[in-house]
Amino acid sequence: MSDTTESRGDIESWTCPAPLRDRPRVVMGHGGGGALSAELVQQIFAPAYGGQTLAQFGDAATVSLGGARLAFSTDSFVVRPLFFPGGSIGDLAVNGTVNDLAMSGARAAYLSCGFILEEGVEMETVGRVAEALGAAARAAGVEVATGDTKVVEAGHGDGVYINTAGIGLVPAGVDLRPQRVVPGDVVIVSGAVGVHGVAIMSVREGLEFGVDIESDCAALGGLVDAMLAVTPELHVLRDPTRGGLAAALNEIAAASGTGVVIRERDVPVPPAVANACAILGLDPLYVANEGKLVAFVPREHADAVLDAMRAHPLGADAVIIGEAVAAHPGMVVARTGLGGTRVVDLPLGEQLPRIC
């Protein structure tokens, strides 16, 4: 083929599928929970808002009000499709915010709920979402106390978007934050990773992997209560949603100034998820979860905490996958099954957009 404009096409119209960090406009990767998301928050939002509370950069902010310690969190949900194996956007809206509060040690008490509806969406769809949201709230033991509804013109939304905010009380003596992590802490994950993201992708793209894959969407407050009953001296908890386990570990390593070493063969990846990721060219460590947590626990309490997790239905498959170390601060490293090591970096954007 000759090197002509016709054969090469219009070069000015070419696009790169990977988001570039110097783009002057928002790209999908800015919502992916990875490096681009962090830059957006740290370079635009945090300087504009200011304040020491925001600087915690946790799943939920911990604040003092009237002598009580409260956890406060907000989240928005733009999942596509609205209904998927194992849940719906309504379940996500409750469980996602309840879990953010739980990662601060708080048991959620009240939620707000804002619906943004697209003109033309079927009332039956809205009703199904609302019913699912209400059922999830009752199951999590939380009350939807206030809300709001807005409608945007047809073509300016995607059926239903939901924003929820939640508050809960933090028990005395509980102090969960990444700055408490020290070398020697044991890293525990509560169960199989990558399930939610693959479940969403399977229905979104009409893919079949030979077995049914359902989202792990669940409220983790009861599991966290069981862990704290063993000891309030847990150091940090995270639910590895956007960016998956890799993003959560990198955020903790960076905030604590420690390194993290995980044993790749010990990370619980179901065969169906591993096979799907192999077909799609994805890394399970970067695929979102909606009913799992990762904990950094002092070594002397690790066995007792692990036993308590395994006694709870949502932690039955909990396993130790690694530890915090003094070497390579701020970096996560995986030891492979072949005896080598690889760096598990913070993702740039998101492998699977619009999953939560």
Side-chain angles (χ1 to χ4, degrees):
M1 181 179 293
S2 62
D3 187 18
T4 64
T5 300
E6 288 76 20
S7 64
R8 289 181 290 115
D10 182 3
I11 295 177
E12 294 299 321
S13 69
W14 289 5
T15 60
C16 176
L20 302 180
R21 300 172 89 154
D22 59 352
R23 284 196 177 186
R25 299 180 185 274
V26 172
V27 296
M28 288 299 294
H30 283 118
L36 285 173
S37 290
E39 290 177 3
L40 184 65
V41 171
Q42 294 168 5
Q43 295 177 13
I44 293 183
F45 297 134
Y49 301 160
Q52 293 301 309
T53 304
L54 180 63
Q56 297 174 19
F57 291 127
D59 287 335
T62 302
V63 299
S64 295
L65 187 64
R69 290 179 69 222
L70 299 176
F72 179 35
S73 184
T74 187
D75 207 344
S76 298
F77 300 87
V78 296
V79 65
R80 179 171 58 86
L82 299 177
F83 303 93
F84 47 83
S88 71
I89 191 173
D91 300 285
L92 287 176
V94 171
N95 294 337
T97 297
V98 166
N99 291 346
D100 283 348
L101 296 173
M103 297 307 104
S104 295
R107 195 66 185 265
Y110 297 100
L111 297 180
S112 71
C113 180
F115 271 69
I116 300 174
L117 307 175
E118 182 183 12
E119 180 186 22
V121 66
E122 295 85 358
M123 285 293 185
E124 187 268 342
T125 297
V126 178
R128 287 178 62 196
V129 171
E131 288 292 334
L133 192 151
R138 290 187 290 274
V142 63
E143 181 180 350
V144 179
T146 187
D148 182 52
T149 305
K150 294 292 188 295
V151 177
V152 298
E153 298 88 344
H156 290 263
D158 195 11
V160 179
Y161 297 153
I162 301 176
N163 172 270
T164 50
I167 57 173
L169 283 171
V170 180
V174 173
D175 182 17
L176 299 176
R177 49 192 174 88
Q179 291 78 10
R180 297 194 64 209
V181 171
V182 296
D185 280 359
V186 171
V187 182
I188 304 175
V189 66
S190 64
V193 302
V195 179
H196 174 72
V198 171
I200 294 288
M201 181 58 66
S202 67
V203 293
R204 182 186 296 174
E205 304 300 337
L207 302 174
E208 296 184 4
F209 301 113
V211 296
D212 293 331
I213 302 176
E214 292 192 353
S215 170
D216 58 348
C217 184
L220 297 171
L223 176 60
V224 173
D225 286 346
M227 297 167 67
L228 290 173
V230 174
T231 176
E233 285 300 316
L234 307 180
H235 283 167
V236 68
L237 302 176
R238 282 290 169 90
D239 58 333
T241 53
R242 294 179 305 166
L245 181 63
L249 293 176
N250 271 278
E251 290 167 2
I252 293 169
S256 64
T258 65
V260 175
V261 176
I262 63 172
R263 295 175 295 277
E264 199 165 44
R265 67 174 59 184
D266 291 340
V267 178
V269 180
V273 171
N275 293 337
C277 287
I279 293 171
L280 298 170
L282 305 177
D283 186 335
L285 294 181
Y286 293 91
V287 178
N289 313 271
E290 285 293 344
K292 300 298 188 300
L293 64 80
V294 58
F296 282 63
V297 181
R299 185 171 296 278
E300 62 268 26
H301 299 302
D303 289 340
V305 170
L306 184 63
D307 288 342
M309 294 175 72
R310 288 175 171 171
H312 191 279
L314 296 179
D317 298 320
V319 63
I320 294 173
I321 63 169
E323 64 181 338
V325 297
H328 51 79
M331 182 182 296
V332 180
V333 171
R335 291 178 178 156
T336 69
L338 298 177
T341 60
R342 69 180 179 100
V343 174
V344 181
D345 205 356
L346 185 68
L348 182 62
E350 187 172 25
Q351 294 186 118
L352 303 173
R354 301 287 302 280
I355 57 172
C356 58

